[in-house]
Amino acid sequence: GLINDRFSGAHHDFVTTEYQAGEAPVDQAWENCRGIGQSFGFNQLEGTDQYISGAQAVQHVVDAVSHGGRVLLNVGPRADGTLPEPQAQVLEQLGEFMAEHKHALVGARGLGALELPGAEWARAVEKDGRCHVFVVGQGALRIAAVDLPAGFDWPTGGVEVELGGEGAAPVSVSGLAAC
């Protein structure tokens, strides 16, 4: 079975962090556990101001995977089992992103955060000899090949992406392993 580190931490298969994105344990299997809101269950006083957006959920998952982890995203159903509509929307947006990008994320090796000139946020993963870079920012962005992870076959002129701006999910670009 799988055992997290919450029972004294003496014997565990993986380390668990809560809510903190980017705080990855080194050389250990880990999982980040958080709710869509600030609560782990339904909280009638909690509203959309306390919820992460679909784009933030996507960034949270990509960030965890890029640092070698995974995410357990909790929802807060009402007593009748239904989810508040804003929580359902977050899950739908995350599901849409994963439907398109799960081939790059599930089972990937994290390459971490990148500093890309002109980008607000960038993370990279490698899977099956292909590097996938996820980028957030505003407008058109040309990323120079030298700024992308080494060891992959990027176009010599770099790549150009159109970023969706604030509230948009990351855009991805991919390069093959160099031969």
Side-chain angles (χ1 to χ4, degrees):
L2 294 174
I3 302 170
N4 68 24
D5 62 335
R6 295 185 186 199
F7 184 68
S8 78
H11 304 286
H12 61 273
D13 297 310
F14 62 95
V15 175
T16 303
T17 61
E18 286 187 5
Y19 286 87
Q20 313 90 332
E23 294 183 20
V26 179
D27 297 327
Q28 295 185 64
W30 68 278
E31 167 179 273
N32 181 261
C33 181
R34 70 151 299 137
I36 289 177
Q38 300 297 311
S39 302
F40 280 111
F42 178 68
N43 181 344
Q44 66 183 359
L45 301 177
E46 199 171 66
T48 55
D49 289 347
Q50 289 81 33
Y51 292 164
I52 59 173
S53 68
Q56 289 169 319
V58 167
Q59 278 186 251
H60 193 79
V61 169
V62 172
D63 183 62
V65 174
S66 77
H67 288 92
R70 62 184 183 202
V71 172
L72 172 62
L73 186 62
N74 288 302
V75 295
R78 296 181 189 97
D80 66 2
T82 62
L83 284 180
E85 185 59 30
Q87 288 190 34
Q89 290 172 354
V90 169
L91 294 177
E92 288 169 5
Q93 291 168 6
L94 179 58
E96 288 170 9
F97 182 86
M98 289 303 294
E100 185 176 344
H101 299 284
K102 72 179 176 183
H103 71 279
L105 292 168
V106 175
R109 178 175 65 94
L111 300 177
L114 302 177
E115 294 293 327
L116 298 178
E120 295 172 15
W121 180 95
R123 302 292 185 271
V125 300
E126 180 275 329
K127 183 172 178 194
D128 299 329
R130 185 176 287 268
C131 180
H132 305 275
V133 176
F134 297 87
V135 185
V136 172
Q138 184 75 38
L141 177 65
R142 175 163 293 283
I143 306 169
V146 297
D147 292 326
L148 293 163
F152 298 93
D153 190 19
W154 300 104
T156 54
V159 294
E160 189 163 324
V161 294
E162 184 67 36
L163 303 173
E166 188 176 332
V171 172
S172 71
V173 296
S174 301
L176 292 172
C179 298

